[in-house]
Amino acid sequence: MSIDPEQIANTGKSFLIASDRCFEQRLLPSGHFQMPIVPAIVCAAFGAELCLKALIALEGGKATGHELLKLFNKLSSQSRAALATSLSLSEHDLRQKIGSVSSAFVDWRYIYEKSSANIDNEFLRKFAGEVETLLDKLSRLIS
C-alpha cells in the first residue's frame, strides 16, 4: 500500500509545529522557566523524519526507519545539494552534522535510560525547517 506523500508531509509538519511550541520558554509564577526539551527534540526529529520520507515519496522512492542520515542519503542528488546549500554547508559537512542527530527520535524517547545526553538542537531545528521548506517547494512544482 502506497501512502500519499501529502499525508506524510502534513503529519511531519504537525510534529514540527509541536516541536516549536515545546521549545518555547514559559515563565512560571515561581520565576523559573519551563521548557519541555525532551518532547521538543523528539518532535523535531520525528517531524524531520516524516518530511524526509515525504520528499523521498515525491521523488518516487520508498523509505522506512528513523535514522535521519539514512533518509537523507535516499534523497535525489538535487535535493541533497539543495539542503546543503540552504544550510550553507558542504554536502560532506551536512552529512556529518546529520549523523550527529540522526538517531535523536529513538535516543531521546528513552533519554531517561542514559546518564547524560548532548545534542545540537539548533542544528536539528534548522535542518528540519529546511527539509520542510524544500518539501513545500517540491510539492508546488509537482502539483
Side-chain angles (χ1 to χ4, degrees):
M1 174 178 123
S2 180
I3 300 173
D4 179 11
E6 188 174 349
Q7 290 178 316
I8 303 168
N10 288 341
T11 304
K13 290 175 183 185
S14 294
F15 275 96
L16 293 178
I17 291 168
S19 175
D20 286 344
R21 289 185 183 163
C22 288
F23 272 113
E24 292 173 1
Q25 291 185 0
R26 298 215 174 152
L27 182 61
L28 299 175
S30 66
H32 292 100
F33 283 93
Q34 179 185 62
M35 183 174 62
I37 191 73
V38 172
I41 291 168
V42 170
C43 286
F46 194 49
E49 172 191 326
L50 293 177
C51 288
L52 284 167
K53 287 178 176 177
L55 272 171
I56 293 164
L58 284 173
E59 294 178 340
K62 292 182 181 180
T64 59
H66 300 298
E67 291 183 48
L68 299 178
L69 185 56
K70 286 183 180 180
L71 296 170
F72 174 80
N73 288 331
K74 288 188 173 227
L75 293 174
S76 68
S77 59
Q78 295 89 348
S79 290
R80 291 191 310 269
L83 287 169
T85 299
S86 68
L87 290 161
S88 302
L89 294 167
S90 69
E91 201 169 315
H92 175 266
D93 289 344
L94 179 55
R95 275 194 171 87
Q96 285 187 316
K97 290 196 75 85
I98 295 169
S100 74
V101 299
S102 187
S103 61
F105 178 68
V106 172
D107 293 345
W108 281 78
R109 287 183 309 174
Y110 300 105
I111 202 67
Y112 60 86
E113 295 177 351
K114 298 182 182 337
S115 59
S116 67
N118 202 6
I119 190 165
D120 185 349
N121 65 48
E122 184 177 322
F123 170 74
L124 177 60
R125 293 179 76 189
K126 283 181 185 176
F127 175 68
E130 292 303 327
V131 171
E132 180 182 17
T133 298
L134 180 60
L135 175 59
D136 289 342
K137 287 178 186 174
L138 188 56
S139 294
R140 282 193 300 272
L141 289 174
I142 291 175
S143 56

